[in-house]
């Protein structure tokens, strides 16, 4: 589905950022609305739409398993990414795989807390080829509770996406916690949505959090 082009407001990056796929990139800023379905038996269930409420992605979750699992789907329910949380880790490490796989050869990237104790959000992202994990490929910084976070390249200074609060009476009535994400030009918006899903999970208030 072609996304509508908003008015240009960000200069495209010198080098496109793509991890999930080049089909999830646009030469203009992409505005996405992510809404969590609060009144559901399945935890971590989201819809991702454009500003005209066309569904771009779905996120489905399950709490009835040993490992927390999430799946990013296209509008036809075809799996794009699978999320697996590693248990017994101090940094809330999530691993993201292509499709429905959990095979090491299909691992795309890993996300973890930069430090165990945090007052604000600070996550490091390592692509699968970055095995020593000394320098992250991406960083996520900000305040999840204020829905104000920025995603950077690993240098920590080049922004590629921003998250903003989007509260409305209708979203509360429908049982949805909605927020907006602006993905900068030539940036893989499926990748950014995956970051936001993990960001939500790391900040979720669950028993047994580190």
């Amino acid at each position: 589905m072609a996304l509508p082009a908003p008015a240009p407001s960000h200069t495209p990056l010198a080098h496109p950022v793509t991890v999930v796929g080049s089909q999830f990139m646009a030469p203009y800023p992409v505005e996405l609305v992510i809404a969590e379905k609060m009144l559901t038996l399945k935890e971590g269930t989201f819809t991702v739409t454009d500003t005209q409420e066309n569904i771009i992605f779905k996120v489905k979750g399950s709490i009835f398993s040993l490992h927390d699992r999430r799946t990013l789907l296209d509008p036809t329910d075809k799996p794009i990414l699978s999320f697996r949380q590693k248990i017994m880790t101090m940094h809330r490490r999530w691993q993201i795989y292509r499709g429905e796989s959990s095979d090491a050869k299909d691992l795309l990237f890993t996300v973890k807390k930069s430090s165990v104790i945090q007052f604000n959000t600070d996550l490091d992202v390592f692509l699968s080829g970055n095995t020593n994990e000394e320098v992250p490929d991406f960083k996520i910084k900000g305040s999840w509770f204020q829905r104000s976070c920025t995603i950077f390249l690993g240098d920590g200074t080049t922004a590629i996406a921003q998250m903003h609060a989007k509260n409305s009476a209708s979203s509360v009535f429908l049982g949805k916690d909605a927020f907006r994400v602006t993905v900068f030009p030539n940036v893989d918006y499926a990748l950014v949505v995956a970051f936001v899903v993990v960001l939500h999970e790391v900040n979720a208030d669950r028993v047994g959090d580190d």
Side-chain angles (χ1 to χ4, degrees), residues 167-200:
N167 298 319
S168 67
S170 61
S171 66
V172 173
F173 177 76
L174 293 172
K176 296 180 179 180
D177 181 15
F179 46 94
R180 179 170 296 196
V181 176
T182 302
V183 184
F184 292 7
N186 294 336
V187 173
D188 185 335
Y189 53 85
L191 175 69
V192 170
V193 170
F195 291 166
V196 174
V197 171
V198 175
L199 181 62
H200 170 271

Side-chain angles (χ1 to χ4, degrees), residues 71-141:
T71 306
L72 181 70
L73 310 164
D74 73 7
T76 67
D77 288 339
K78 178 181 178 181
I80 300 172
L81 296 174
S82 296
F83 303 72
R84 301 286 187 271
Q85 181 181 193
K86 293 194 69 175
I87 61 173
M88 303 302 290
T89 61
M90 295 183 64
H91 291 262
R92 294 299 303 272
R93 179 184 290 263
W94 282 79
Q95 294 176 314
I96 291 78
Y97 299 84
R98 191 174 298 282
E100 292 183 287
S101 177
S102 59
D103 194 303
K105 67 179 177 60
D106 294 314
L107 177 66
L108 290 179
F109 57 92
T110 297
V111 185
K112 70 181 186 69
K113 291 165 64 176
S114 301
S115 59
V116 175
I117 299 175
Q118 295 186 357
F119 296 101
N120 288 315
T121 300
D122 194 352
L123 304 181
D124 290 339
V125 181
F126 302 95
L127 296 178
S128 59
N130 188 354
T131 55
N132 58 20
E133 296 190 354
E134 292 181 359
V135 178
D137 296 284
F138 302 94
K139 294 186 72 70
I140 304 168
K141 298 180 179 181

Side-chain angles (χ1 to χ4, degrees), residues 1-6 26 28 30-32 49-50 52 54 56 189:
M1 178 183 297
L3 295 172
Y28 46 78
V30 172
E31 297 285 342
L32 299 174
T49 66
D50 61 20
Q52 279 71 51
N54 298 305
I56 307 301
Y189 53 85

